[in-house]
């Protein structure tokens, strides 16, 4: 992708996702993810309806009329986007690949954080951490994250979520809002997730395609594993083969759901042909 085409794609995503974050998600994000506490801001004259417990008695005595303390939420938060860049994300039977939907969701979340003056960082992972961008504030930083999501080429096509979660615990010493975006065709990450979930506010966003759920009866079909590159001739006429594939897929989904729920983490399931806007908004409202 040349520079001109890349900038055009970045701009297109910015326009679409920033509008969503400005008009829909900004307020929901703010109310869902609270700051670390309340800090003193100022004193002002008492107004009808003010809580009498907030009266500053020292200032009241000095001016011989009631004054109240005003507090503001200490908001500065850090959002970490953990994005799966393995080979299975380059699949899609609707208008977009899973990778493209993940990029849009990530950009929407990043602009929501930007609107609330929070820091945003990025971890791209396959079976290793491919890229780490430390959390920072500012529009230029968010645009850099979008550029990486669009043009990054991973060294590996395989997935190891546990390794990415271990990396997160090493680089993020303070509590962060963590969104893990993947199809979660992975396993053996529940123990690591439990450790991460005890420290951070974690949400798993599973992006999947409806064609992944079952194999249609198409006769003998040559299939390639997007992560290992292995090619096999599969007899999709076999009911046993179709049932085994369906069970394998459902087991992966159940593992994802159980692992996140048991770790006290949030779960969002987003099918490629559905509106991720409704899914995100519904999640934020339930939590808020």
């Amino acid at each position: 992708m040349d520079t001109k085409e890349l900038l055009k794609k970045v701009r297109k995503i910015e326009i679409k996702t920033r509008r969503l974050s400005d008009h829909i998600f900004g307020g929901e994000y703010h109310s869902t993810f609270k700051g670390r506490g309340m800090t003193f801001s100022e004193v002002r004259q008492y107004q009808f309806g003010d809580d009498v417990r907030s009266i500053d008695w020292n200032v009241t005595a000095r001016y011989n009329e009631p004054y109240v303390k005003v507090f503001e939420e200490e908001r500065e938060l850090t959002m970490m986007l953990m994005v799966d860049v393995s080979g299975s994300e380059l699949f899609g039977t609707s208008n977009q690949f899973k990778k493209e939907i993940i990029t849009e969701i990530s950009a929407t979340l990043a602009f929501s954080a930007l609107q609330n003056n929070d820091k945003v960082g990025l971890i791209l992972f396959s079976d290793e951490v491919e890229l780490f961008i430390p959390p920072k504030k500012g529009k230029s930083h968010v645009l850099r994250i979008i550029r990486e999501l669009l043009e990054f080429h991973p060294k590996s096509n395989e997935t190891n979520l546990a390794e990415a979660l271990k990396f997160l615990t090493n680089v993020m010493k303070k509590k962060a809002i963590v969104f893990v975006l993947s199809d979660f065709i992975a396993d053996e990450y529940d123990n690591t997730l439990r450790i991460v979930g005890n420290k951070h506010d974690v949400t798993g966003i599973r992006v999947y395609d409806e064609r992944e759920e079952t194999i249609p009866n198409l006769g003998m079909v040559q299939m390639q594993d997007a992560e290992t590159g292995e090619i096999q001739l599969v007899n999709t006429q076999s009911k046993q083969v179709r049932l085994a594939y369906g069970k394998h897929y459902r087991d992966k989904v159940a593992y994802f759901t159980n692992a996140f729920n048991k770790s006290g983490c949030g779960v969002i399931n987003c099918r490629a042909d559905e509106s991720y806007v409704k899914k995100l908004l519904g999640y934020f409202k339930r939590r808020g």
Side-chain angles (χ1 to χ4, degrees):
M1 189 185 306
D2 62 35
T3 305
K4 188 176 180 180
E5 185 184 354
L6 175 61
L7 291 173
K8 188 176 178 182
K9 285 197 170 188
V10 171
R11 181 62 179 154
K12 185 178 178 182
I13 286 181
E14 180 192 359
I15 291 169
K16 179 177 181 179
T17 59
R18 187 153 196 178
R19 186 166 58 242
L20 288 173
S21 63
D22 286 351
H23 298 297
I24 301 175
F25 294 113
E28 297 294 342
Y29 169 89
H30 183 101
S31 61
T32 301
F33 302 106
K34 303 295 184 183
R36 290 190 291 266
M38 305 300 287
T39 57
F40 173 75
S41 174
E42 61 179 344
V43 292
R44 61 164 171 79
Q45 284 184 296
Y46 177 87
Q47 296 174 0
F48 179 76
D50 285 340
D51 190 337
V52 294
R53 290 173 295 182
S54 62
I55 291 177
D56 187 321
W57 294 106
N58 291 329
V59 179
T60 297
R62 192 181 310 143
Y63 292 101
N64 205 28
E65 58 180 313
Y67 276 77
V68 293
K69 293 178 181 177
V70 178
F71 293 86
E72 289 182 349
E73 183 183 0
E74 188 184 355
R75 254 218 67 85
E76 186 172 290
L77 301 174
T78 297
M79 176 194 287
M80 284 302 303
L81 299 169
M82 296 184 63
V83 177
D84 183 353
V85 291
S86 62
S88 62
E89 306 308 329
L90 292 171
F91 178 83
T93 58
S94 53
N95 293 328
Q96 291 178 297
F97 288 139
K98 288 184 286 184
K99 177 187 174 182
E100 294 171 314
I101 296 166
I102 285 173
T103 298
E104 286 192 14
I105 294 173
S106 299
T108 302
L109 293 169
F111 278 122
S112 295
L114 174 67
Q115 186 181 347
N116 285 278
N117 201 34
D118 292 340
K119 295 178 182 177
V120 189
L122 176 69
I123 294 173
L124 299 182
F125 69 93
S126 54
D127 59 349
E128 60 182 297
V129 172
E130 300 264 359
L131 178 70
F132 170 54
I133 299 178
K136 281 177 63 178
K137 295 181 181 182
K139 180 182 173 183
S140 61
H141 180 69
V142 170
L143 293 179
R144 182 200 169 189
I145 286 174
I146 295 172
R147 284 198 302 272
E148 293 292 355
L149 287 166
L150 283 170
E151 70 168 353
F152 188 82
H153 297 287
K155 290 180 283 185
S156 172
N157 286 324
E158 299 186 40
T159 311
N160 189 330
L161 177 54
E163 281 301 311
L165 291 169
K166 286 175 188 174
F167 179 84
L168 176 77
T169 60
N170 290 332
V171 296
M172 297 302 297
K173 301 304 180 186
K174 293 182 179 178
K175 183 177 180 179
I177 300 163
V178 180
F179 288 98
V180 187
L181 297 103
S182 172
D183 53 14
F184 292 94
I185 307 297
D187 48 28
E188 296 184 3
Y189 57 82
D190 56 330
N191 290 331
T192 316
L193 180 64
R194 195 173 295 115
I195 295 168
V196 175
N198 284 335
K199 183 178 180 181
H200 302 290
D201 186 336
V202 183
T203 301
I205 302 180
R206 186 174 75 94
V207 177
Y208 67 101
D209 191 287
E210 63 177 332
R211 294 297 182 190
E212 294 175 305
E213 297 177 281
T214 57
I215 295 180
N217 184 349
L218 299 172
M220 295 296 290
V221 178
Q222 197 175 59
M223 294 186 175
Q224 182 177 25
D225 188 311
E227 299 202 357
T228 65
E230 182 184 358
I231 297 174
Q232 284 188 338
L233 196 62
V234 179
N235 180 15
T236 62
Q237 284 182 314
S238 167
K239 185 177 180 181
Q240 188 176 359
V241 168
R242 296 198 304 273
L243 288 173
Y245 174 86
K247 182 180 183 304
H248 174 76
Y249 182 84
R250 289 191 300 275
D251 287 346
K252 294 289 186 186
V253 175
Y255 179 82
F256 157 72
T257 305
N258 291 334
F260 273 76
N261 286 339
K262 287 180 180 178
S263 301
C265 304
V267 168
I268 302 174
N269 289 288
C270 185
R271 207 171 74 187
D273 59 335
E274 295 177 332
S275 168
Y276 66 80
V277 176
K278 290 181 180 177
K279 293 298 180 77
L280 285 177
L281 197 55
Y283 176 74
F284 284 174
K285 283 184 173 178
R286 284 195 303 274
R287 282 200 47 167

